Amino acid sequence: MSDLFWLNNEHMARLEPFFPKSHGKPRVDDRRVLSGIIFINRNGLRWRDAAKE
């Protein structure tokens, strides 16, 4: 699964201060969400056309 991520640990460490804090509800994997956003933007896709992974 890690081959699907666009950001490595160094990138995530730099972005970590900008993530919202969890308020009682478990957060989704930020790396997975950001990688999906990058994938959509780089490939010019719509969200509904993206792969589920």
Side-chain angles (χ1 to χ4, degrees), residues 25-45:
K25 199 173 183 184
R27 290 190 47 78
V28 296
D29 183 13
D30 292 319
R31 181 177 297 187
R32 184 174 179 208
V33 172
L34 288 174
S35 292
I37 292 168
I38 292 169
F39 178 81
I40 294 295
N41 285 332
R42 283 190 171 213
N43 293 297
L45 298 174

Side-chain angles (χ1 to χ4, degrees), residues 4-9 11-13 15-22 25-38 47:
L4 296 177
F5 296 139
W6 286 84
L7 304 171
N8 61 26
N9 290 337
H11 295 133
M12 290 303 293
L15 293 171
E16 193 94 28
F18 301 105
F19 296 148
K21 304 292 184 231
S22 179
K25 199 173 183 184
R27 290 190 47 78
V28 296
D29 183 13
D30 292 319
R31 181 177 297 187
R32 184 174 179 208
V33 172
L34 288 174
S35 292
I37 292 168
I38 292 169
W47 278 111

